[in-house]
Amino acid sequence: MDEPRNTPTAEKQGTELWIARLAPLFALVVLALMVYACRGAMFNNSPLFNPDEAELLAAGRRATLGLQPYGDYTTPTFLFLWPLVLSLFSALGFGLTLSFAHVLAAAAYVWIAFVAWFGVARYMGWIRGALLTIPTAIYLFTAIPAPNLTGGVYDFLSLGTELLPLSLLMGACLILITGTGVPRLRRVFLASAVAGLAVWAKPQSALLALTL
């Protein structure tokens, strides 16, 4: 029996498969370059955009003294997951400085925009997803929203306490929408566990976590 030959249809399907595999990586790179172009200048300096930044960094430094929640730190508007995550970065060798806080905030916004782009692309394709996601991403990356504090301080430029729970909730969404068909029980359980972690970073996220 002759071996099956490559047909135009098979080649087209192979190309589409490679595009589907590379598109998420391409989207992530595009968003990372965008956020660097929009706020890269802040990565090498230390302006204070929000008091939350200094408060989070201080709690993270104190958490490096011990893993026991509230043993060496307090959490006024956030719970113990924030200090523990920051102490982990410190243990990995990252300095808990304002410059690092700005890089971390930018990475969180890239992650949020990527999951939104991925979710839209699942139903409308990557190009249409880009047309809907990129303008909103630019809006966030450049901090166009009006300042909420005196002196032109923008919340969207700072490492806000909401970014960790939002990142976790978006991660839970990504777990649910990855794959085909109805999510299996294992994926639902994993997404629920990730969403549940968001509550320990910011209790106000509990309603969204329950919704997921």
Side-chain angles (χ1 to χ4, degrees), residues 39-54:
R39 54 174 77 181
M42 298 186 308
F43 296 164
N44 296 322
N45 55 44
S46 303
L48 179 62
F49 293 111
N50 191 308
D52 283 350
E53 287 185 311

Side-chain angles (χ1 to χ4, degrees), residues 59-99:
R61 289 176 180 176
R62 291 195 298 268
T64 59
L65 302 176
L67 295 178
Q68 178 186 349
Y70 303 111
D72 298 290
Y73 58 87
T74 58
T75 55
T77 62
F78 50 90
L79 296 182
F80 63 85
L81 191 60
W82 254 123
L84 291 183
V85 169
L86 291 174
S87 67
L88 178 61
F89 278 115
S90 179
L92 292 174
F94 294 95
L96 298 184
T97 63
L98 287 174
S99 295

Side-chain angles (χ1 to χ4, degrees), residues 13-189:
Q13 290 176 345
T15 302
E16 291 176 350
L17 181 60
W18 273 107
I19 291 175
R21 288 176 176 176
L22 294 177
L25 178 60
F26 177 77
L28 197 58
V29 170
V30 167
L31 292 171
L33 292 175
M34 283 173 53
V35 79
Y36 184 79
C38 292
R39 54 174 77 181
M42 298 186 308
F43 296 164
N44 296 322
N45 55 44
S46 303
L48 179 62
F49 293 111
N50 191 308
D52 283 350
E53 287 185 311
E55 190 175 44
L56 281 172
L57 294 174
R61 289 176 180 176
R62 291 195 298 268
T64 59
L65 302 176
L67 295 178
Q68 178 186 349
Y70 303 111
D72 298 290
Y73 58 87
T74 58
T75 55
T77 62
F78 50 90
L79 296 182
F80 63 85
L81 191 60
W82 254 123
L84 291 183
V85 169
L86 291 174
S87 67
L88 178 61
F89 278 115
S90 179
L92 292 174
F94 294 95
L96 298 184
T97 63
L98 287 174
S99 295
F100 175 72
H102 300 158
V103 173
L104 200 58
Y109 279 117
V110 167
W111 171 248
I112 292 169
F114 169 74
V115 177
W117 191 352
F118 186 92
V120 174
R122 292 282 295 168
Y123 300 97
M124 301 179 62
W126 285 98
I127 296 178
R128 291 179 181 176
L131 295 177
L132 292 173
T133 307
I134 288 180
T136 306
I138 294 175
Y139 185 84
L140 292 175
F141 294 169
T142 55
I144 291 175
N148 69 326
L149 296 174
T150 58
V153 181
Y154 292 83
D155 257 353
F156 287 108
L157 294 176
S158 67
L159 183 64
T161 56
E162 299 82 7
L163 285 181
L164 179 56
L166 276 175
S167 298
L168 290 170
L169 291 172
M170 295 300 283
C173 291
L174 183 64
I175 293 171
L176 289 175
I177 63 178
T178 301
T180 58
V182 179
R184 294 186 177 182
L185 185 60
R186 181 172 57 183
R187 265 200 292 146
V188 173
F189 177 79

